[in-house]
Amino acid sequence: MQGLTPCISIRAQVKKLQQIRGLYTPDAAAEKLDLLRSLQHRAIHQASLLQSFHQSLCFVRAFPDSLAHYRAARHSLNHF
């Protein structure tokens, strides 16, 4: 999935991150990091999507798969 997330809608990315944020498999970890990095560079204008993204960021920051996940979530939260 790496590198493909910019091709899908922001809504789909946020929804997917919300669905897999609590999964701790190698595939889910790779997809989560890809989504986190992709969403860092996208503008979210809809309040409900922004809320879902924020909740997922808080979850990933609190329960990261790795230091890279923690840093990506923290970076996005710092620029919220």
Side-chain angles (χ1 to χ4, degrees):
M1 172 119 194
Q2 196 164 6
L4 298 178
T5 48
C7 297
I8 63 174
S9 72
I10 292 171
R11 176 182 299 283
Q13 287 181 319
V14 170
K15 184 176 179 180
K16 185 64 177 178
L17 181 60
Q18 188 175 25
Q19 290 172 342
I20 67 170
R21 69 185 184 193
L23 298 179
Y24 295 95
T25 65
D27 289 341
E31 189 171 10
K32 255 186 272 187
L33 191 56
D34 192 35
L35 288 165
L36 289 167
R37 289 178 174 165
S38 176
L39 286 164
Q40 284 178 354
H41 306 289
R42 304 198 65 186
I44 301 173
H45 300 289
Q46 187 176 353
S48 61
L49 283 179
L50 201 56
Q51 181 181 14
S52 293
F53 183 47
H54 184 265
Q55 289 172 347
S56 291
L57 289 173
C58 290
F59 186 94
V60 173
R61 186 184 63 182
F63 307 104
D65 293 78
S66 68
L67 183 57
H69 289 82
Y70 173 82
R71 286 180 175 160
R74 188 187 67 195
H75 175 80
S76 290
L77 286 167
N78 286 342
H79 292 91
F80 217 77

